[in-house]
Amino acid sequence: WIERDSILSGVEAVVLGVELLGVAIVLVAIVLATVEFIRQRITRAPAEETYQHYRVSLARGLLLGLEILIAADVIRTVTEQLTLDGVLTLGLLVLVRTFLTWSLVVEIEQRWPWNAASPSSQELFDSAPEAESDAEDR
């Protein structure tokens, strides 16, 4: 049988890998969004539209990275010995990261979640991937 310590070491290595993936996603999103922003500004794309697309691209990368970091926290907590302190720490981390996620969604959509989406905010949200795919096509 496999020893408990070796399993925990393996899980900790997996958690570290997931955390590094979350950080890498955020960093790659920043780099790609910035390169696309600079490319659009060089081609004299409208400044306001270019800036809005930049913000949306950055926020999407941050959202994905935060979700992965939350997953790493959950994995770490459920594989360690469950203590009240560990569960409270996880709860606080999830609460903070969920608030950040919610704030980013509000920032992207420029509305409160309980308000109906305006056509302009929905068009902006929907058009960001097209700008990214256009960049890939070139």
Side-chain angles (χ1 to χ4, degrees):
W1 294 98
I2 301 173
E3 291 187 31
R4 185 178 195 284
D5 289 339
S6 63
I7 292 173
L8 289 177
S9 295
V11 169
E12 192 59 37
V14 168
V15 168
L16 179 61
V18 172
E19 288 175 333
L20 290 173
L21 175 64
V23 170
I25 287 172
V26 171
L27 292 175
V28 168
I30 290 169
V31 169
L32 291 177
T34 302
V35 167
E36 179 63 16
F37 175 78
I38 292 169
R39 186 193 66 75
Q40 288 180 348
R41 291 304 298 145
I42 288 173
T43 61
R44 306 268 187 226
E48 182 63 27
E49 183 180 319
T50 301
Y51 173 71
Q52 291 301 324
H53 284 286
Y54 182 57
R55 287 179 56 225
V56 168
S57 296
L58 285 176
R60 284 182 172 176
L62 288 172
L63 283 171
L64 182 58
L66 281 172
E67 293 298 329
I68 291 173
L69 289 170
I70 289 171
D73 290 336
V74 170
I75 293 168
R76 176 180 289 119
T77 301
V78 298
T79 57
E80 292 177 351
Q81 284 187 318
L82 289 180
T83 63
L84 181 58
D85 188 43
V87 172
L88 290 175
T89 301
L90 173 66
L92 183 61
L93 284 171
V94 169
L95 183 67
V96 168
R97 290 183 177 164
T98 300
F99 175 75
L100 289 172
T101 299
W102 187 73
S103 298
L104 287 169
V105 169
V106 168
E107 184 69 22
I108 291 170
E109 296 183 5
Q110 298 179 345
R111 66 178 178 87
W112 296 108
W114 52 83
N115 292 345
S118 67
S120 62
S121 67
Q122 190 60 41
E123 288 170 8
L124 177 63
F125 190 72
D126 291 341
S127 66
E130 292 171 9
E132 292 168 8
S133 66
D134 289 344
E136 292 170 5
D137 293 341
R138 294 180 187 179

